[in-house]
């Protein structure tokens, strides 16, 4: 799982900061995101993960430093091109109107209207519905879905968008055990197709199991970035999260499993 080191980075953050009202939400982050890899972005609540994802998405402009996609600064991209290059699953899956789940998923194809790729709409929509296990929900009104069902339908919308960069903000937060694993398997599948996948996660063991690389943010700063083994040491997790932890090994995969130390 070494990725494609000879390819240019999909995205590059260079000393990128995002400051608002005298507060620094992201501070001087320098990091490359590569095609063919899953990058897990972790860190405590309020660390700046969603803000960093917003910078990578081009939804927020850095107040200092630069963020690029395919070697071009995001500020130089036009919205329609950007929508064909990167898909974003936001943390809150809010849809204002009472669209059906199918309609929400179909909206993922909007950036391709008027291009040759729109011929691919039915296939992309069907594949996204199958991958996220939501075929039984497509006729339902989106606001009536459970939190986990909304999350999966929203992920289907992003998959249908069929972008080379996929940014997912806590896609597993509302999901049951099986669907968490399935979402991470989808992320791995996207990377295997050569896409760059950046996924914000809270479950460090899930990050360790599925990510090629892990980046830890704390108070807006990038604390560490590297393989799960390099980054998720007990010492580092304890200092970032301020809680004693134990790092075990998965018997089958050898990947780290991080659990809090408990005294009862
Ligand atoms: P995370 O996703 O890691 O939980 P966020 O990126 O959402 O963190 O937010 C980082 C910090 O910035 C939090 O403390 C949050 O309350 C704060 N924050 C987010 N947006 C704004 C804003 N527009 N103005 C001021 N503070 C904000
Ligand atoms: Mg967040």
């Amino acid at each position: 799982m070494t990725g494609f080191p000879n390819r240019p980075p999909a995205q590059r953050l260079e000393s990128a900061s995002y400051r608002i009202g005298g507060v620094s939400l992201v501070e001087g982050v320098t990091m490359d995101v590569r095609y063919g890899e899953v990058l897990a972005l972790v860190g405590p609540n309020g660390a700046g993960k969603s803000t960093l994802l917003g910078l990578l998405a081009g939804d927020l402009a850095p107040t200092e430093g630069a963020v690029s996609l395919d070697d071009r600064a995001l500020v130089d991209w036009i919205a329609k091109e950007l929508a064909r290059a990167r898909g974003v699953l936001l943390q809150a899956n809010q849809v204002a109107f009472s669209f059906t789940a199918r309609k929400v998923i179909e909206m993922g194809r909007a950036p391709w209207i008027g291009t040759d790729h729109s011929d691919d709409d039915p296939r992309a929509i069907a594949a996204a519905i199958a991958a996220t296990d939501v075929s039984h929900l497509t006729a339902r009104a989106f606001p009536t879905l459970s939190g986990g069902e909304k999350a999966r339908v929203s992920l289907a919308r992003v998959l249908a968008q069929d972008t080379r960069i996929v940014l997912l903000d806590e896609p597993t937060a509302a999901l049951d055990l099986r669907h968490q694993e399935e979402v991470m398997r989808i992320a791995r599948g996207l990377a295997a197709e050569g896409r760059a996948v950046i996924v914000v996660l809270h479950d460090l063991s899930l990050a360790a199991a599925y990510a090629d690389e892990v980046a830890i943010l704390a108070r807006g700063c990038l604390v560490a970035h590297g393989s799960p083994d390099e980054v998720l040491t007990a010492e580092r997790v304890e200092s970032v999260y301020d809680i004693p932890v134990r790092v075990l090994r998965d018997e089958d995969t050898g990947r780290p499993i991080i659990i809090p130390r408990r005294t009862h």
Side-chain angles (χ1 to χ4, degrees):
M1 286 210 264
T2 51
F4 306 95
N6 295 327
R7 289 207 217 171
Q11 293 211 254
R12 174 163 272 178
L13 293 145
E14 289 168 286
S15 303
S17 298
Y18 186 76
R19 301 196 184 120
I20 185 165
V23 192
S24 199
L25 310 192
V26 168
E27 182 60 43
V29 171
T30 296
M31 182 171 78
D32 284 354
V33 176
R34 286 196 288 270
Y35 285 118
E37 291 195 358
V38 175
L39 170 69
L41 189 56
V42 303
N45 293 139
K49 303 179 297 297
S50 295
T51 306
L52 189 67
L53 217 65
L55 290 173
L56 286 167
D59 292 336
L60 301 174
T63 50
E64 282 178 47
V67 186
S68 63
L69 196 167
D70 288 345
D71 263 339
R72 180 149 55 109
L74 280 176
V75 289
D76 294 335
W77 284 73
I78 61 165
K80 192 174 249 180
E81 279 186 324
L82 202 52
R84 292 172 188 161
R86 58 94 184 108
V88 191
L89 177 69
L90 296 175
Q91 199 168 353
N93 303 303
Q94 298 300 342
V95 175
F97 303 105
S98 191
F99 293 127
T100 62
R102 169 172 283 280
K103 186 74 195 159
V104 170
I105 297 165
E106 285 171 357
M107 286 190 291
R109 297 302 298 167
W112 300 106
I113 290 170
T115 73
D116 292 349
H117 291 268
S118 66
D119 297 346
D120 197 35
D121 287 359
R123 187 211 57 82
I125 291 163
I129 288 171
T132 53
D133 187 24
V134 296
S135 57
H136 59 299
L137 302 173
T138 50
R140 294 270 304 278
F142 185 85
T144 69
L145 301 177
S146 78
E149 290 167 347
K150 279 181 186 159
R152 276 156 44 216
V153 168
S154 300
L155 176 62
R157 179 183 53 74
V158 175
L159 296 181
Q161 200 175 331
D162 194 15
T163 52
R164 58 188 181 275
I165 292 166
V166 182
L167 304 166
L168 306 174
D169 201 347
E170 298 195 27
T172 59
L175 301 190
D176 63 48
L177 203 57
R178 174 167 74 86
H179 286 110
Q180 286 184 36
E181 295 294 314
E182 282 181 4
V183 164
M184 293 312 294
R185 271 199 286 273
I186 289 169
R188 283 241 55 88
L190 294 170
E193 290 167 359
R195 301 173 210 260
V197 183
I198 300 105
V199 51
V200 177
L201 294 172
H202 275 304
D203 184 332
L204 300 178
S205 305
L206 199 62
Y210 285 99
D212 298 292
E213 300 205 333
V214 177
I216 299 196
L217 269 190
R219 296 192 191 89
C221 297
L222 185 63
V223 173
H225 176 205
S227 71
D229 266 325
E230 287 165 345
V231 169
L232 296 172
T233 62
E235 204 177 20
R236 184 173 290 114
V237 173
E238 288 182 351
S239 90
V240 168
Y241 288 87
D242 195 23
I243 181 175
V245 300
R246 202 188 298 281
V247 178
L248 310 175
R249 292 277 145 200
D250 186 294
E251 280 178 22
D252 299 319
T253 66
R255 298 258 180 161
I257 294 174
I258 297 89
I259 55 168
R261 282 182 188 271
R262 296 167 181 131
T263 50
H264 57 279

